[in-house]
Amino acid sequence: MPRIGTISPWSSKATDIARNCGLAKVRRIERGTAYFVSGGGRSDAVAALLHDRMTETVLDSFDAA
């Protein structure tokens, strides 16, 4: 997911398109990538390899998104 507290350019454009299509109640559309890793081990070490900490946030569940 994009960093908490930021709005990605993709989100801004997707939200504008939705509103121009008459979906006035849409507050924000965002996208993220879900990785499912099995095998145990340290999840924080795996997360560090799968994301850019300057622009992305790692969330532990879909509910957190």
Side-chain angles (χ1 to χ4, degrees):
M1 296 294 301
R3 285 186 61 137
I4 301 298
T6 64
I7 299 174
S8 70
W10 186 94
S11 174
S12 297
K13 192 62 170 174
T15 304
D16 287 345
I17 291 169
R19 289 181 181 155
N20 288 333
C21 290
L23 302 172
K25 292 187 178 185
V26 171
R27 293 187 320 182
R28 181 175 172 185
I29 299 173
E30 192 55 83
R31 69 177 174 165
T33 303
Y35 294 100
F36 296 95
V37 180
S38 64
R42 294 183 31 212
S43 62
D44 57 334
V46 173
L49 297 171
L50 294 176
H51 85 290
D52 176 2
R53 64 188 180 109
M54 295 298 289
T55 60
E56 298 174 322
T57 299
V58 174
L59 303 174
D60 294 331
S61 68
F62 284 114
D63 291 335

